[in-house]
Amino acid sequence: MISFPSFFFLFFFFVPLSCFSSLVTLSGNKTIVSDGQEYECGFFQPDNLTSHWYLGIWLKEDPIRTSLWVANRDNPLTTPNGTLDIIDKELVLVDKDNARVWSAKLSREVDKSRMVAQLEDNGNLVVKSSKHSEEEYSWQSFDTPTDTLLPQMRLGINPNTKNHIVLKSWNSSIDPSSGYFSLGIEDESYEIFVIYLQHPHAENRYRSIVWNGFQFGDMPPILKQLDAPDSFVMTTYQSSKSRLTLTPDGDYEVYMWVQEETTWQLSWSTTQDSCFKDARCGSYGFCSKNTIPRCHCLQGFHPKNDVIESGGCARITAPKCKEDDKFMILKNMKLPENPDDTLHASALEACESLCRRECNCTAFARIKLQNGQNTDHRCITWIGELHDMQNYTVGGQDLHVRLKEPVPTQTQMMMTEIAGEDQLFAVMDLSTIVEATDNFSSTNVLGRGGFGIVYKGILPNGKEVAVKRLSNNSSQGTFEFRNEVTTILNILHKNLVRLLGCCCEGSERILVYEYLQNLSLDRFIFVDEARSRLLNWATRFRIINEIAQGLSYLHNFRDSPIIHRDLKPSNILLDTNMISKISDFGMAKILQSGQTEAETERLVGT
Ligand SMILES: *[C@@H]1O[C@H](CO)[C@@H](O)[C@H](O)[C@H]1NC(C)=O
Ligand SMILES: *[C@@H]1O[C@H](CO)[C@@H](O)[C@H](O)[C@H]1NC(C)=O
Ligand SMILES: *[C@@H]1O[C@H](CO)[C@@H](O)[C@H](O)[C@H]1NC(C)=O
Ligand SMILES: *[C@@H]1O[C@H](CO)[C@@H](O)[C@H](O)[C@H]1NC(C)=O
Ligand SMILES: *[C@@H]1O[C@H](CO)[C@@H](O)[C@H](O)[C@H]1NC(C)=O
Ligand SMILES: *[C@@H]1O[C@H](CO)[C@@H](O)[C@H](O)[C@H]1NC(C)=O
Ligand SMILES: *[C@@H]1O[C@H](CO)[C@@H](O)[C@H](O)[C@H]1NC(C)=O
Ligand SMILES: *[C@@H]1O[C@H](CO)[C@@H](O)[C@H](O)[C@H]1NC(C)=O
Ligand SMILES: *[C@@H]1O[C@H](CO)[C@@H](O)[C@H](O)[C@H]1NC(C)=O
Ligand SMILES: *[C@@H]1O[C@H](CO)[C@@H](O)[C@H](O)[C@H]1NC(C)=O
């Protein structure tokens, strides 16, 4: 095998310059090898079936010649014979019949007779003047990556050429022709640099992952910001030969070379990340790659309809603008798209007060940017709805979201703790409830009981709810309230009424439940004879069955069975489809595990 430098050396010095016709001729076994024997450039065949040959670069040690760069990706040769030449300020590849299959512009006029093509030990194929090897290259393969970035390759704007360097996927694993995805860096929104993915048949590009001053999303920190903010360079990862490759399916993967096994080993990939190509979960929704379903609402927001993906989330509390609005910190987040403004703000407090001052400011984040040798802290603010967010385990950024809530009382804080991570549950403020129920208007009363009055309410987002306002002197004190909230929060069954939120302001104790259109069973059985006739035996039997299922779920609930103790027709509610759901767990008493009998401290009416 002839390595190129020596080959060229011979060629260059023993052939008269005037007769020198080409830069280098390559064929099946004739390749260019870098000085340190690291990389090799030559013809390869991605599949053994078709006679498609490509000029490419691979690791010299790699037995399967995993291609790291391809010249003539869209125009294969039929035999592994071709010549690199310089014609009219262009580097060209011609096949054995002298037909041009690929070309690239040289950066300047060159004296062809003095030029050499050389493969460097970082995998960069360069064309330069042999005399001044330190001078700027007339051309280099690193300026036009295929689907792979190697250490020292750039992504984003090349400050020298002003070209936008992107990766373009192969069409398939055995077809290097330009595929469906491209990956680039874009200063899409002021100074958040995002890696985007574009599918030529899709209108939108995906904002895949966002720069946080250190890394993109949760990708290992193999890209470093360069002299210009929108210019990045790939670095070695864990002091090993590494590569970042865009797959034909639009995923990207980080590989490390394992010398002992002479193989590229996958060390990070987006293939398992269901949020990666599109983290859209509607307004105020965020995507989580490890959960099913993947969409969640930010705390303090709840789904507008059953599917967050289509409807997004809405605030539970009516938006107001107060100086004392709180900000909730979300860690490891992919920042939302379309920020409103980016300002210099070195301190976090300054950033927060910038957002606080603007009534419409919904969130802010403080980001770090490298600009040459300088580190800049910037404050980014968002106005209006927040879109396209994701949470990560590592990486991402702190996002501060404005909460339109009064300063929480101690009880409220306790309730927030109870609410915990469950995004479907909300602690609401009294003014929202007052608004929803028309100030507890008597026209909205659904029912009265020992515990208090139940009102129909309509939340600011239009959702109908049943609001249970506990009376001050009902048997249900703070103990029962907490009991009911903590218990019901975790009880999710199709035949049990779902708790959506609670309010605990001053002396008020309010529970907010889902609203069931057809109200309670007692109205059917005892109140309205016409409706009573609607309940045929089949329906009654089904309802009995459903109640039994609900009770069975309660009785077998996790480690602590729940006994209802107040089951009666007025506590059986019916939804639009006449599916029954048991309500009012206020009287429930959680049995300790292993306890089959319990003494009740309070008398129960039923
Ligand atoms: C093409 O390459 C093959 C394999 O290296 C070689 O045997 C053959 O002679 C070459 N043909 C021409 C026309 O150069
Ligand atoms: C190419 O190399 C293989 C083995 O390395 C050898 O069998 C074959 O004859 C070589 N072909 C040419 C044209 O040199
Ligand atoms: C091509 O053939 C070589 C040797 O016969 C084999 O190692 C390799 O896996 C084949 N590649 C494909 C894509 O079939
Ligand atoms: C890419 O692959 C698809 C299907 O595998 C094929 O239809 C298409 O022609 C290919 N494109 C090119 C440019 O080869
Ligand atoms: C803030 O919101 C109000 C009401 O939605 C709107 O009229 C106003 O234009 C917004 N201000 C800015 C600066 O966007
Ligand atoms: C993202 O948030 C969801 C919902 O709160 C949570 O279940 C999940 O564990 C979080 N994922 C990560 C990676 O933090
Ligand atoms: C609600 O009604 C009470 C009296 O029933 C009244 O004192 C209060 O001002 C009303 N609140 C609102 C917001 O209308
Ligand atoms: C409870 O009592 C307080 C005053 O003691 C009163 O302001 C409040 O409206 C009462 N709440 C209910 C639900 O009756
Ligand atoms: C409790 O409410 C009843 C009316 O339902 C009222 O007569 C009684 O005075 C109240 N007790 C206290 C301690 O507020
Ligand atoms: C239940 O509610 C739905 C929606 O309000 C209504 O169309 C239906 O007639 C009700 N069914 C009965 C049996 O009242």
Side-chain angles (χ1 to χ4, degrees), residues 281-296:
C281 288
S283 48
Y284 304 109
F286 69 94
C287 191
S288 159
K289 64 177 166 187
N290 299 322
T291 60
I292 297 171
R294 59 178 206 148
C295 285
H296 304 265

Side-chain angles (χ1 to χ4, degrees), residues 35 145 206 252 281 286 337-338 448 540 558 603:
D35 281 347
Y206 303 118
Y252 36 100
C281 288
F286 69 94
E337 66 184 351
N338 299 329
R448 292 166 201 268
R540 284 172 195 242
R558 301 199 185 155
L603 285 176

Side-chain angles (χ1 to χ4, degrees), residues 27-29 80-81 96:
S27 62
N29 288 358
N81 309 72
K96 61 181 193 322

Side-chain angles (χ1 to χ4, degrees), residues 262-434:
T262 59
T263 185
W264 284 108
Q265 198 175 68
L266 183 65
S267 51
W268 180 86
S269 166
T270 58
T271 46
Q272 301 304 314
D273 186 348
S274 57
C275 305
F276 165 69
K277 284 181 193 160
D278 197 0
R280 275 167 201 286
C281 288
S283 48
Y284 304 109
F286 69 94
C287 191
S288 159
K289 64 177 166 187
N290 299 322
T291 60
I292 297 171
R294 59 178 206 148
C295 285
H296 304 265
C297 290
L298 297 178
Q299 211 178 316
F301 295 78
H302 77 170
K304 280 193 197 158
N305 54 40
D306 287 347
V307 188
I308 298 177
E309 272 91 337
S310 59
C313 311
R315 272 184 205 283
I316 284 148
T317 47
K320 270 171 284 162
C321 188
K322 293 201 192 122
E323 272 296 309
D324 57 3
D325 278 346
K326 288 272 172 285
F327 287 91
M328 157 180 67
I329 304 175
L330 302 169
K331 298 221 162 274
N332 302 111
M333 295 295 287
K334 169 186 178 182
L335 295 182
E337 66 184 351
N338 299 329
D340 171 62
D341 212 348
T342 307
L343 307 137
H344 287 271
S346 49
L348 185 65
E349 297 73 43
C351 192
E352 178 171 328
S353 67
L354 277 173
C355 186
R356 190 185 293 284
R357 244 182 280 148
E358 169 66 72
C359 248
N360 298 6
C361 178
T362 42
F364 73 90
R366 199 159 144 270
I367 62 162
K368 205 172 73 180
L369 282 176
Q370 203 62 37
N371 202 342
Q373 293 305 308
N374 305 322
T375 305
D376 255 358
H377 285 282
R378 303 287 172 90
C379 177
I380 313 179
T381 55
W382 283 264
I383 282 189
E385 296 184 342
L386 305 174
H387 286 273
D388 195 18
M389 292 173 277
Q390 177 177 359
N391 67 344
Y392 300 112
T393 317
V394 293
Q397 260 151 317
D398 286 358
L399 177 67
H400 302 252
V401 177
R402 190 182 206 131
L403 288 180
K404 307 271 188 182
E405 268 176 15
V407 182
T409 60
Q410 211 172 352
T411 328
Q412 256 184 326
M413 297 218 283
M414 174 195 88
M415 296 313 302
T416 312
E417 259 167 49
I418 292 171
E421 292 296 298
D422 192 332
Q423 303 297 326
L424 297 172
F425 180 83
V427 177
M428 305 179 189
D429 64 357
L430 185 59
S431 60
T432 304
I433 308 268
V434 165

